[in-house]
Amino acid sequence: MKTIKNKELLNAIKEAKNIAVVTHKQPDADAIGSMLAICRILESLGKKANAYCQDPLPEYVKHLHNADRVLSPSEYKNDADLVISVDASDKDRLGSCSTIFDSISNTIQIDHHATNTMFAKFNEVDTSAAASGMLVFRLAKALDVDIDNALAEQMYAATSSDTGNFCFPS
């Protein structure tokens, strides 16, 4: 099984206390499921994590655990010491969440798009992965996080959506 081996990325997460997690505008289930799953992973490690998205969540993801905790970038309090972007191939795709990303020098991105511009300080990009949710699973394993029902549901929603319910060849 593939895992995340970037020690600098993993150490940045381990050392951070307050983490902002952002995703792209007009989010889909991979974006929201992955973002919520990262927050759950971080909180299981004793971190404070907040999720931000420029646009309202689609109805079909509002049932996911903690979907009601996704904030607008205007609610950001400039209090994070790390920001993680997920499922965005470039910084412009973050929309108004790019202001959060730009306000912090310690940045990570987790993505699977072939068009990725490697815009973070630490980049975990695997274009062979069918969904960012698959990379989030690798993150959970690399950080030795137990996968509970809520985390499994979030990663399943992310991966299922970008694979056409596991029908696409990837």
Side-chain angles (χ1 to χ4, degrees), residues 122-166:
F122 305 111
N123 300 282
E124 185 64 32
V125 178
D126 182 352
T127 60
S128 70
S132 291
M134 296 173 75
L135 299 174
V136 174
F137 174 77
R138 294 177 194 171
L139 180 66
K141 291 312 223 176
L143 293 169
D144 200 28
V145 170
D146 289 330
I147 297 175
D148 63 11
N149 287 341
L151 180 55
E153 173 192 68
Q154 292 160 340
M155 292 186 299
Y156 178 86
T159 305
S160 175
S161 73
D162 264 23
T163 62
N165 293 317
F166 305 100

Side-chain angles (χ1 to χ4, degrees), residues 45-144:
L45 296 172
K47 314 289 182 187
K48 180 181 176 202
N50 287 310
Y52 299 91
C53 185
Q54 168 186 300
D55 296 322
L57 275 58
E59 285 298 320
Y60 64 89
V61 296
K62 289 185 177 180
H63 71 281
L64 293 174
H65 185 79
N66 286 337
D68 59 335
R69 291 181 41 198
V70 177
L71 303 169
S72 162
S74 64
E75 297 175 84
Y76 178 62
K77 297 190 179 1
N78 206 24
D79 59 351
D81 53 0
L82 174 67
V83 64
I84 300 174
S85 167
V86 64
D87 200 43
S89 59
D90 61 70
K91 197 165 55 167
D92 288 342
R93 187 85 172 99
L94 295 174
S96 58
C97 283
S98 65
T99 59
I100 297 171
F101 195 87
D102 288 340
S103 72
I104 303 165
S105 63
N106 205 16
T107 59
I108 291 174
Q109 70 155 316
I110 297 172
D111 186 46
H112 70 109
H113 295 99
T115 58
N116 192 283
T117 62
M118 307 297 252
F119 61 92
K121 182 176 180 181
F122 305 111
N123 300 282
E124 185 64 32
V125 178
D126 182 352
T127 60
S128 70
S132 291
M134 296 173 75
L135 299 174
V136 174
F137 174 77
R138 294 177 194 171
L139 180 66
K141 291 312 223 176
L143 293 169
D144 200 28

Side-chain angles (χ1 to χ4, degrees), residues 38-53:
I38 289 172
C39 287
R40 187 141 186 97
I41 290 166
L42 297 170
E43 289 170 349
S44 76
L45 296 172
K47 314 289 182 187
K48 180 181 176 202
N50 287 310
Y52 299 91
C53 185

